[in-house]
Amino acid sequence: MAEYKLDVTTGDMKNAGTFDHIYVTLFGTEGQSERTELDNFGIDFSTGKTGAYTLKTSLSLGKLLLINIEKDPFFILPENEWFCSKIEATTPEGDVLLFPCYRWISRGELVELRGGKAVKVFEEGHPLMIEHRKKELTRKESFYQWKILAEGLSHINHFNSTSELPAEVRFSESKSTEMMSERKIMGLELHFKGLLGSSEKWESIDDIKRIFWCKKTPMSEYVAEHWKEDDFFGSQFLNGINPNVIKSCSELPTNFPVTDEMVKPFLEKGSSLQKEMQKGKIFLYDQKIMDGIPTRVYKGEPLHVTAGLCLFYLNPENKLMPIAIQLRQQPSEQNSIFLPSDSETDWLLAKMFIKNADVIDHEAVQHLMKTHFLAEVYTVATLRSFPVIHPIYKLLFPHFRYTLHINTTGRTSLFGPEGALSINSAGYDGLIELMRKALSELTYSSLCLPENISARGLESIPNFYYRDDGLKLWDIINSFVKAVVGHYYPSDSEVQKDTELQEWISEIFTHGVLGNKTSGFPACFNTVEEVIKFITMVIFTATAQHAAVNNGQFDYHFWTPNGSLLLHKPPPTTKGQSSMETILENLPDVGETVTFAVLAWLLSDKYSDEVPLGAYPEERFDEPALKHMIKEFQAELSHLSEAITARNSQLEIPYTYLNPNQIENSVTI
């Protein structure tokens, strides 16, 4: 008799265990075992436990290829799904093989697990495994399909609600419960205070502080005290939550006629605008993408979104200061250029309209389109193109945890026509048009941080912590990806003949950037270096970049005057007509402000089942070399975290969003 020892691990999440009968069948190169129940004395398959079982066969099955798992009812007990984490099998020859599972299994379901090292399609040798691979991909292509949300946008998964998603890509029960509980608690507090749904206007700006009793952060309180200050306004375009919009300015746009006379008081004594541009001290934020965007109709009148221009100056104290603002693209007598020397409320109002358009761009383009929607494209393409045994699937799948769930639910509760975001100045149709324009202009290089920074001329601007931390993270991720990809693809020819890898990038090119060749996105891979760069970008986008644009939303946008998705009045055309009353009239009403505050809190909150960047609790790689690479990756991230923490201890405004211990391993919120 030949004995196979099976160590079967049940997941540690709530209700992962089962009382049902579990059966396995082993398949090897020389045959298969009988369908055998795994049954020890006492309770089997308890949450977080590993059970040891022995399965006997008359002869060795040869090289072990597959383990089939089935679950049958235990008497008349109701269905309770079982979360099987993994099975470690020890063969009669002494080989130990890992069979990752990490999914929920229901009654009547047949689950086939592949074990051993990762295998590319052209490495398959056994007819059973070739057929198994084909069937797995056919099933996944049928199950995960593409759908068009709107013409001109990246395609999305075809599931209409989260209840249709398979359990392994849905939220855990604990996360769903925590989010629901958080919403209820906030709702009760705001209802008790009479703020929820109120159409009243704020009587004073300080009244905004009473929205929540306890929900605040050191940064949200700092913002409330400093939001009017020019140096703080400027710093947000480097280290706030939209750090990808300004660029170095060596020549003024022809439609932005700022003169030396206008800005001379704000420059270094004896200098000029031209001299400061030559020294690389002038920067520009051009919001031309907002020009022509349709806006929301509010009480029978269209709202307004500015397509402004804002000029910044890096002063001798290395502070980035706004020095001129024009709120429309075309200069005219009715399109004043606002200056810091104007009245306090004129200048403040100009900055608020720049920030209004910036917040809309941040939410629709930088956050939703460039991280959430693109991460969804990468996720669906991965699920459709790779079997679970493929090395790229093993590498990437942990970085797509919960992404389909958060995007599917977000398209109704957040982004849909009735979602919280729809009450912004542009409205739902405006957001769609804005994202459509942004996707048509999107370039592959803009998603690769080193090229992004270089293209915007921001290599040397001081105190740019998003750049500093982001480039270090990019390099660490790139080194890890280079080691993993190089292990499995020692030559360019291996890349070229991997048809599954080629199908993956083709799907991303087709469904992500809609086949736009001018985007620079690859439609196929020819070299190992191309694969390394692209996968680095994918992981960076789903982890670091999402953290940079998401995690500080409550910090910076709870205080609505600092950045609001909605302003009620048209932007000013002339100077000397504003007052603090004008500021209050522009702000969202109480109910609208509360909606934005709740949204910012939920999107920035932390949940108990968070997985930080570089943590791989699901053991998918069986090879010792890969386990060593993961440990080295984690060590590099830990060193960077320590360095960032030490630097932040010396800063008045710490930049924490790209500290590896604050970054999730995937887009989950």
Side-chain angles (χ1 to χ4, degrees):
M1 297 291 287
E3 285 191 354
Y4 290 82
K5 298 187 183 301
L6 306 177
D7 291 330
V8 182
T9 301
T10 297
D12 59 2
M13 66 284 296
K14 187 178 180 181
N15 298 325
T18 185
F19 289 109
D20 282 351
H21 299 284
I22 304 297
Y23 296 86
V24 299
T25 307
L26 309 185
F27 292 83
T29 54
E30 304 299 326
Q32 69 181 71
S33 72
E34 297 289 333
R35 182 176 184 263
T36 305
E37 182 176 5
L38 301 181
D39 185 22
N40 288 334
F41 180 77
I43 298 175
D44 296 296
F45 315 114
S46 298
T47 299
K49 302 295 184 182
T50 298
Y53 303 89
T54 300
L55 188 152
K56 297 182 179 181
T57 60
S58 56
L59 297 170
S60 170
L61 302 177
K63 181 182 177 182
L64 195 55
L65 302 174
L66 286 174
I67 297 179
N68 281 4
I69 305 176
E70 297 170 89
K71 186 161 89 70
D72 286 354
F74 180 73
F75 291 113
I76 59 171
L77 291 181
E79 164 76 281
N80 63 331
E81 290 185 320
W82 174 48
F83 190 93
C84 176
S85 291
K86 62 181 180 178
I87 297 177
E88 285 189 337
T90 304
T91 69
E93 294 78 22
D95 296 326
V96 180
L97 299 175
L98 172 68
F99 289 78
C101 183
Y102 299 106
R103 56 164 293 179
W104 296 91
I105 300 176
S106 303
R107 289 176 181 173
E109 191 177 5
L110 174 63
V111 176
E112 297 178 318
L113 304 183
R114 284 201 63 171
K117 69 174 187 176
V119 180
K120 301 187 289 293
V121 59
F122 54 84
E123 295 171 333
E124 294 285 16
H126 196 278
L128 176 65
M129 304 318 296
I130 294 173
E131 185 62 22
H132 174 269
R133 196 176 190 117
K134 289 179 180 177
K135 286 182 178 178
E136 180 186 349
L137 284 179
T138 299
R139 184 177 68 250
K140 292 172 78 173
E141 287 172 4
S142 174
F143 191 70
Y144 295 100
Q145 297 181 26
W146 297 102
K147 184 171 73 174
I148 296 174
L149 173 66
E151 290 297 329
L153 298 189
S154 299
H155 297 165
I156 63 174
N157 78 79
H158 77 288
F159 299 105
N160 294 313
S161 72
T162 55
S163 62
E164 299 175 8
L165 292 168
E168 59 265 27
V169 298
R170 291 203 305 263
F171 283 171
S172 66
E173 186 176 340
S174 66
K175 177 156 186 165
S176 294
T177 301
E178 287 172 29
M179 291 186 73
M180 191 178 301
S181 174
E182 193 70 25
R183 286 194 188 100
K184 286 182 178 178
I185 292 170
M186 284 193 289
L188 287 171
E189 177 182 344
L190 297 170
H191 182 75
F192 176 78
K193 292 177 174 178
L195 302 178
L196 204 60
S198 171
S199 59
E200 294 182 7
K201 299 295 287 185
W202 295 104
E203 294 182 5
S204 78
I205 283 182
D206 281 344
D207 287 345
I208 296 173
K209 294 178 180 177
R210 64 184 177 91
I211 290 179
F212 293 124
W213 282 316
C214 301
K215 294 191 184 308
K216 57 186 177 181
T217 67
M219 193 63 211
S220 70
E221 292 188 297
Y222 184 95
V223 171
E225 296 302 318
H226 297 271
W227 70 281
K228 295 180 182 180
E229 299 167 10
D230 284 354
D231 60 339
F232 180 63
F233 178 85
S235 74
Q236 293 179 65
F237 294 97
L238 296 176
N239 301 312
I241 58 174
N242 200 13
N244 274 307
V245 292
I246 67 165
K247 62 181 181 181
S248 179
C249 179
S250 58
E251 184 178 355
L252 283 177
T254 56
N255 62 330
F256 194 19
V258 178
T259 66
D260 264 336
E261 185 180 349
M262 290 179 183
V263 298
K264 195 171 184 179
F266 320 118
L267 304 178
E268 189 173 13
K269 189 174 181 180
S271 189
S272 68
L273 191 56
Q274 187 61 39
K275 287 179 182 178
E276 295 301 331
M277 284 194 287
Q278 290 173 352
K279 291 192 291 185
K281 301 289 186 179
I282 302 297
F283 301 86
L284 177 69
Y285 183 11
D286 188 344
Q287 298 176 327
K288 60 185 176 182
I289 194 172
M290 310 300 292
D291 201 23
I293 294 295
T295 59
R296 175 175 155 230
V297 175
Y298 180 80
K299 294 183 178 180
E301 297 291 331
L303 295 172
H304 300 265
V305 176
T306 60
L309 299 106
C310 184
L311 203 64
F312 295 90
Y313 169 54
L314 185 69
N315 71 15
E317 289 77 42
N318 285 334
K319 293 181 178 180
L320 191 66
M321 308 291 285
I323 58 172
I325 291 174
Q326 180 177 292
L327 294 178
R328 295 170 182 80
Q329 284 288 302
Q330 296 307 316
S332 71
E333 291 183 3
Q334 288 73 43
N335 189 15
S336 297
I337 295 179
F338 292 90
L339 305 169
S341 53
D342 294 335
S343 74
E344 180 186 10
T345 52
D346 277 358
W347 181 236
L348 195 57
L349 201 57
K351 290 191 292 182
M352 287 175 65
F353 273 95
I354 290 291
K355 282 300 296 286
N356 170 238
D358 179 64
V359 174
I360 293 172
D361 170 80
H362 161 261
E363 205 62 76
V365 177
Q366 312 298 336
H367 182 209
L368 285 177
M369 192 198 87
K370 289 186 179 179
T371 63
H372 278 263
F373 284 17
L374 286 180
E376 181 169 353
V377 170
Y378 307 145
T379 303
V380 175
T382 298
L383 290 167
R384 285 172 52 85
S385 304
F386 294 128
V388 297
I389 199 68
H390 196 286
I392 303 303
Y393 180 94
K394 289 174 177 280
L395 172 62
L396 286 180
F397 188 71
H399 298 291
F400 302 143
R401 176 178 181 255
Y402 293 168
T403 299
L404 295 189
H405 188 126
I406 190 62
N407 281 12
T408 302
T409 192
R411 273 188 285 272
T412 53
S413 63
L414 174 66
F415 179 65
E418 306 302 321
L421 277 181
S422 67
I423 63 173
N424 77 91
S425 297
Y428 177 75
D429 291 339
L431 293 188
I432 291 288
E433 180 59 27
L434 177 59
M435 288 195 292
R436 186 181 287 122
K437 287 178 69 173
L439 184 65
S440 71
E441 298 172 6
L442 180 70
T443 62
Y444 176 39
S445 63
S446 70
L447 301 177
C448 300
L449 189 63
E451 295 169 58
N452 174 307
I453 296 297
S454 178
R456 293 193 289 136
L458 302 182
E459 301 97 322
S460 59
I461 186 170
N463 306 320
F464 190 11
Y465 307 118
Y466 164 78
R467 174 202 59 205
D468 298 344
D469 300 349
L471 288 177
K472 290 170 185 173
L473 273 168
W474 179 277
D475 288 344
I476 291 171
I477 293 170
N478 182 253
S479 295
F480 172 57
V481 172
K482 185 174 183 178
V484 174
V485 171
H487 180 83
Y488 290 107
Y489 296 91
S491 69
D492 294 342
S493 63
E494 301 240 332
V495 167
Q496 295 160 13
K497 67 182 179 180
D498 188 341
T499 54
E500 292 168 348
L501 180 67
Q502 300 297 341
E503 178 63 22
W504 178 68
I505 191 60
S506 176
E507 288 231 334
I508 291 171
F509 180 70
T510 300
H511 299 282
V513 294
L514 310 182
N516 181 10
K517 293 181 181 179
T518 62
S519 69
F521 264 71
C524 64
F525 290 130
N526 294 305
T527 68
V528 176
E529 281 303 316
E530 289 172 355
V531 178
I532 292 168
K533 178 181 176 182
F534 193 83
I535 292 178
T536 299
M537 182 276 293
V538 168
I539 295 176
F540 184 86
T541 297
T543 59
Q545 186 58 29
H546 180 255
V549 299
N550 177 79
N551 293 1
Q553 292 190 79
F554 186 84
D555 286 347
Y556 281 94
H557 291 163
F558 163 73
W559 187 250
T560 309
N562 184 60
S564 175
L565 283 160
L566 172 64
L567 293 178
H568 278 295
K569 300 295 182 180
T573 57
T574 56
K575 301 182 181 184
Q577 305 297 313
S578 68
S579 65
M580 192 52 69
E581 185 65 26
T582 315
I583 303 288
L584 288 169
E585 289 173 355
N586 265 283
L587 289 176
D589 65 32
V590 172
E592 293 161 341
T593 305
V594 163
T595 297
F596 295 143
V598 169
L599 176 63
W601 179 265
L602 289 174
L603 292 177
S604 306
D605 204 7
K606 300 287 186 182
Y607 298 92
S608 62
D609 68 347
E610 180 179 309
V611 177
L613 174 61
Y616 297 95
E618 297 180 352
E619 189 179 354
R620 295 184 179 273
F621 286 109
D622 197 21
E623 301 92 319
L626 271 295
K627 295 177 181 179
H628 179 69
M629 292 172 195
I630 290 172
K631 286 184 178 178
E632 287 190 330
F633 180 41
Q634 293 168 340
E636 289 297 317
L637 292 172
S638 179
H639 294 152
L640 177 58
S641 180
E642 291 172 2
I644 291 173
T645 300
R647 178 205 65 204
N648 284 344
S649 68
Q650 306 299 314
L651 299 178
E652 179 184 4
I653 307 175
Y655 184 73
T656 61
Y657 307 127
L658 289 183
N659 188 325
N661 64 22
Q662 299 296 311
I663 300 172
E664 282 206 70
N665 215 27
S666 57
V667 176
T668 70
I669 192 65

